[in-house]
Amino acid sequence: MVVFGEVIVSDAFSAEELSVDPSTFTGDFAWLHGYWAARAGANGMPAWADIRLVDFPATILPWLVIMDVVADHRSFIFRYWGTERTNLQGVDMTGKSVKELKIPGLAAAMLHQNERAVAARGAILYLNRFTTPSGRAVKYEALRLPVTDGGERVGKVLALSRYIEDEEARFPGEETGPRPV
C-alpha cells in the first residue's frame, strides 16, 4: 500500500480523503453527523455514554460499525458490525480486529482511516473503491466519527458507509444496492 498525501492506493483498494462539510451531508450521513455534533463536549467529541443506539434510525444500523480503540497490536476491534455489512462481505466481524478484514487492501485502509479519525479528533470522510474477489467494483463514502471514553481519550470510532451506485459499480442487469462479495 502506498499513501500519496491522503490518497491511499493498493493493488485492489484505493481511498481518498474528502473535505468534511456537514452542510452538504444528506440522509443518514446528515442524521449521524448531526447526532454526533449535538452531543459533542468541550473537546468537540461526544462521550460514549452519550451515544444511544436505540435513538438511531433503522436505516443506519445495518450499515454502521463501531470500533473500540485498543492499546495493543489489534488497534481497533469491531464492537458493532451492521447486518448489511455481513451480507455484503459474507462475514460477521463483531469482536474481531480491523486487521482481520479479508478484502485485499481493506484492512490497511480501514486502519489508516481510523487512525486519522483518532488523530483528527473530528469527523473525517473518505471515498473508497475496491474490487471484490469476484471482480465486482465497489465504491462508497465512509464517514468516521471519534467518540471519547468520557475523558479526553478517543475510545471508539463510529463509521457509516454510503454506497455509490453507478453503471461501472454494478453487474449488468442487476438491481440497485450492494451485493455480497
Side-chain angles (χ1 to χ4, degrees):
M1 177 177 72
V2 179
V3 177
F4 297 107
E6 284 307 317
V7 176
I8 301 168
V9 179
S10 76
D11 290 339
F13 193 96
S14 69
E16 176 185 356
E17 187 168 356
L18 305 174
S19 63
V20 174
D21 180 357
S23 71
T24 65
F25 290 162
T26 60
D28 291 339
F29 272 25
W31 188 92
L32 185 60
H33 187 275
Y35 181 91
W36 176 84
R39 284 154 183 76
N43 61 11
M45 300 172 286
W48 176 241
D50 297 327
I51 304 295
R52 295 174 29 91
L53 293 183
V54 298
D55 294 339
F56 284 40
T59 56
I60 288 179
L61 293 172
W63 294 106
L64 183 71
V65 295
I66 301 170
M67 294 156 284
D68 292 326
V69 180
V70 295
D72 63 28
H73 70 281
R74 299 170 299 163
S75 302
F76 298 92
I77 302 297
F78 292 107
R79 170 181 288 267
Y80 178 89
W81 177 266
T83 55
E84 284 301 324
R85 289 179 177 265
T86 298
N87 292 339
L88 180 67
Q89 294 189 27
V91 62
D92 180 0
M93 294 295 294
T94 303
K96 297 179 181 169
S97 170
V98 167
K99 294 177 179 181
E100 296 177 62
L101 289 164
K102 299 296 183 206
I103 293 172
L106 184 60
M110 296 304 100
L111 182 63
H112 173 77
Q113 291 176 26
N114 289 333
E115 289 169 344
R116 279 280 304 123
V118 170
R121 299 179 65 80
I124 63 162
L125 180 66
Y126 274 84
L127 176 62
N128 296 310
R129 298 167 197 211
F130 67 92
T131 303
T132 67
S134 66
R136 181 165 192 267
V138 177
K139 180 167 62 170
Y140 67 98
E141 290 178 324
L143 176 64
R144 296 181 187 281
L145 303 167
V147 176
T148 71
D149 57 8
E152 288 299 312
R153 181 185 169 275
V154 174
K156 296 189 181 5
V157 175
L158 308 179
L160 182 63
S161 296
R162 175 170 49 202
Y163 289 82
I164 300 167
E165 292 290 338
D166 60 31
E167 292 304 314
E168 292 179 15
R170 279 193 262 155
F171 289 117
E174 132 181 296
E175 300 297 322
T176 60
R179 310 260 300 169
V181 294

